Each structure stands twice: as structure tokens, then as C-alpha cells.
Amino acid sequence: MTDFVNGTYKITEGEMITNFNSYECAISSELATLNEISVGSKITFKNPSNSEKTYEFTVTGIYTDNSNTDDTKNMYSPSANKIITGSGVIDLLVADDSTLVTAITPSFIIENKEVIDLFSEEVKQKGLNEYYTINTNLEELESATQSIENVKTFATTFLIITLIISGIVLFVINMINIRERKYEIGVFRTIGVSKFKLTMQFVLELLIVSVVMLMIGAGIGSYLSKPVGNLLLQSEIESAKQQEEEISDNFGKGPMNMEFNKNRQVQEISTIDAVVDMTVVIELLGIGILLTLISSLASMISIQRFSPLTILKERS
């Protein structure tokens, strides 16, 4: 069914087989056109090694191959002679004639992509023939979550840029604050206030302002995070629904389509309970304190270099 899921094949007439254990099949549009076969026609298969054994199949659907091929030597698509039937039918044919050779492609569901390599090694250790290959749909999954990864990358980049700009702004504000209060620093130093106490005063003032603004920012972020998150989620839901409709359309309009949709149904999450919890608040406070301490280097260096007599002389 992979070719129908990714849109390579699409049922254009009739429907997909409805019973995997009955002699039903779906054929390509090229095979149907060249042999004047339509939906409901009977096809007889003859065993090449035993002409007395024949099997009559009913054509339930006709599909088209939308894949692009660069093989200019072949006027037909690779699926021109491909006939799709149920896996149970293959078991019936093999049981009727054990000399028939079949190839299977089993699928395994792995919960964590990190163990794919370990799984492959384990299968080979347990006797997988060297002529068999192991393929994964990891690229498809990564492609499906690419939009979320893009949002994550954008958010991370925006956060880093914001932190850099915030540190620069705090540094500049601190420098301006020290220049405007240069005379005040000179007076305090003249009356005996130590450089350490003056430095701690400026750092404490900046910390208080930073913590207050961080709390305000956390409050605004907590209020806006839920509606913004739901807006982004709604966009993803609409995109996913459109993709599901396109895949569903590839299976035609028959019972197989209904069964396919039933098997692919998942619980839809329409809202995100996005909250700013204590962990986020603590992280914000940690970042704010770190930026404050870094930007306070300006006051620490400037105060250590100030001479009280020079400051008062310049003031007079």
C-alpha cells in the first residue's frame, strides 16, 4: 500500500480490493487499455509450471502510475504489468503449488529511531540473507515533522538573537547610567564608601529591574502562549487533513478506502495547554541573572577605575 500512500499509484476506476483472501485484483491502466479489460472483468491466470492449474481473478479496480521515469527505451511505466492482490491469495497459491517462488517485505514498527541501526545489526546476526535489504521510512517521518522542526529552529535562533541583543542593551544602559551618576560615585567615594559596595549597589539595582521585567514578560508570555500555540497547531491540523484527503483519494471510493481511513484514525488534539510553569520561570530568572551579571561588568570596571578627586574636579 506504500505506493498508494505516497501518491505514486492512484485508483482511477473501481476500488481497491476489499478481501485479502479472495481472488480479486487491481491492475494498471496500461494493462487494462491494451487488453481491453474493465472493472468487473475476469482474468485467468495459468500456472507456468503446471498448465492444468488456473486461477480466475475479478478486477475490482484500475490504477494509474504517477511516477516519473527516465527510461526512454521503455514506452510503458514500470508498473504496466503489476497486478495487485491480497496477501492471503498469495498464501493460497503457494499452498496449491509449493514450487511457486514468492518474495515478502515484512514491516516492523520501531518506537525509537535511535535503535534502527541496532535493529538492522540484530536482524543480520539472526540470519538475514545477504540478498535481502532493510529499508526505513525515517526520511518520510523527518519530512512529515519538518514544519515543526522549522518552528523549533526559528524559535531557538530568535531566542539566541534576543539574548545577544538583550545583553548588549543592558551593557549600554549600564554604561549610560554610570556616566550620568559619575558625580554621585565621586561623592560616595570621597565620604569613604568602598568600591565594592558601590559596585554591588549598581548590580543590585540592575538585578531588581531585570527581575521585575522578567516577571512581567513571563506573565505576558503565559497569557499569549496558549492562543499563539493553538493558532500554529490549527495550521498544522489543516495541513495534515489535506494530506490525509490526498492519500485517501488514491485508494478510490470503495470499502478499502473506508478501512484505510479507519486504520489511520488518531486522536486529534485541537488545543495546546501551553503554560509557563515554575521550571520555565526559574530558567528565565537564571538567564536574566546571567545577562545582568555580564552587563554589570561595565559598572565593575568603570567604578574600579574612577578617581573621586578627578571626578569632583571635573564637576567643579
Side-chain angles (χ1 to χ4, degrees):
M1 297 298 98
T2 304
D3 291 318
F4 289 91
V5 172
N6 59 31
T8 303
Y9 297 164
K10 180 178 180 179
I11 294 290
T12 54
E13 296 182 40
E15 61 188 38
M16 180 57 71
I17 55 177
T18 57
N19 188 343
F20 287 171
N21 296 308
S22 64
Y23 289 99
E24 299 176 344
C25 66
I27 65 176
S28 69
S29 58
E30 294 166 293
L31 185 63
T33 301
L34 293 175
N35 293 276
E36 298 181 352
I37 301 173
S38 59
V39 175
S41 299
K42 302 290 184 178
I43 300 179
T44 301
F45 291 91
K46 183 182 294 185
N47 191 326
S49 60
N50 188 347
S51 59
E52 295 181 359
K53 291 183 179 293
T54 59
Y55 311 94
E56 188 177 65
F57 282 73
T58 301
V59 177
T60 63
I62 298 175
Y63 68 90
T64 57
D65 186 348
N66 300 316
S67 62
N68 295 322
T69 176
D70 296 329
D71 188 6
T72 57
K73 298 180 180 180
N74 192 351
M75 63 183 298
Y76 302 112
S77 68
S79 63
N81 291 316
K82 182 180 291 186
I83 299 174
I84 300 174
T85 186
S87 57
V89 175
I90 304 301
D91 294 334
L92 294 175
L93 296 178
V94 174
D96 189 43
D97 185 356
S98 59
T99 62
L100 293 177
V101 179
T102 61
I104 58 173
T105 54
S107 300
F108 298 87
I109 299 176
I110 301 177
E111 296 182 355
N112 190 343
K113 68 177 183 179
E114 305 298 334
V115 300
I116 290 180
D117 293 336
L118 296 176
F119 171 80
S120 302
E121 293 177 2
E122 182 179 353
V123 172
K124 293 178 180 178
Q125 290 175 359
K126 290 184 176 181
L128 181 68
N129 192 289
E130 61 178 349
Y131 296 107
Y132 288 93
T133 60
I134 301 176
N135 300 319
T136 68
N137 64 339
L138 186 60
E139 292 184 359
E140 297 179 11
L141 294 176
E142 292 177 347
S143 176
T145 58
Q146 187 61 41
S147 58
I148 299 177
E149 291 295 328
N150 291 339
V151 173
K152 178 182 177 182
T153 303
F154 172 79
T156 303
T157 304
F158 185 77
L159 174 63
I160 295 175
I161 294 175
T162 302
L163 292 178
I164 294 175
I165 295 176
S166 300
I168 295 174
V169 170
L170 284 174
F171 187 87
V172 172
I173 291 176
N174 206 5
M175 288 293 295
I176 295 174
N177 186 33
I178 292 174
R179 287 186 178 182
E180 291 181 348
R181 300 172 62 181
K182 191 174 182 180
Y183 181 75
E184 177 184 343
I185 295 173
V187 173
F188 279 124
R189 289 288 293 117
T190 304
I191 63 177
V193 179
S194 65
K195 296 180 179 179
F196 176 77
K197 288 184 178 181
L198 283 175
T199 303
M200 289 299 101
Q201 175 184 335
F202 279 87
V203 173
L204 184 59
E205 290 176 359
L206 197 58
L207 272 175
I208 293 174
V209 173
S210 299
V211 170
V212 172
M213 298 310 297
L214 278 171
M215 297 305 295
I216 295 175
I220 297 175
S222 176
Y223 177 77
L224 294 178
S225 59
K226 189 171 184 178
V228 172
N230 290 336
L231 183 62
L232 294 174
L233 178 62
Q234 188 62 34
S235 176
E236 294 295 331
I237 291 176
E238 293 298 330
S239 176
K241 285 183 177 180
Q242 183 179 358
Q243 184 178 8
E244 289 292 332
E245 291 175 357
E246 293 176 356
I247 295 176
S248 177
D249 188 50
N250 294 334
F251 284 92
K253 304 299 181 183
M256 183 61 188
N257 190 354
M258 299 175 60
E259 186 68 20
F260 170 78
N261 289 330
K262 177 182 176 182
N263 293 333
R264 288 176 65 92
Q265 283 181 354
V266 295
Q267 183 180 0
E268 181 180 294
I269 300 175
S270 57
T271 59
I272 297 178
D273 188 16
V275 294
V276 180
D277 53 18
M278 287 303 300
T279 303
V280 177
V281 173
I282 292 174
E283 291 176 351
L284 288 174
L285 287 175
I287 294 174
I289 292 174
L290 179 61
L291 287 177
T292 302
L293 293 177
I294 294 175
S295 62
S296 297
L297 291 175
S299 61
M300 296 178 184
I301 297 174
S302 298
I303 293 175
Q304 298 299 323
R305 296 174 59 184
F306 282 167
S307 172
L309 295 178
T310 303
I311 295 174
L312 294 177
K313 182 179 180 181
E314 291 178 353
R315 178 69 174 181
S316 61

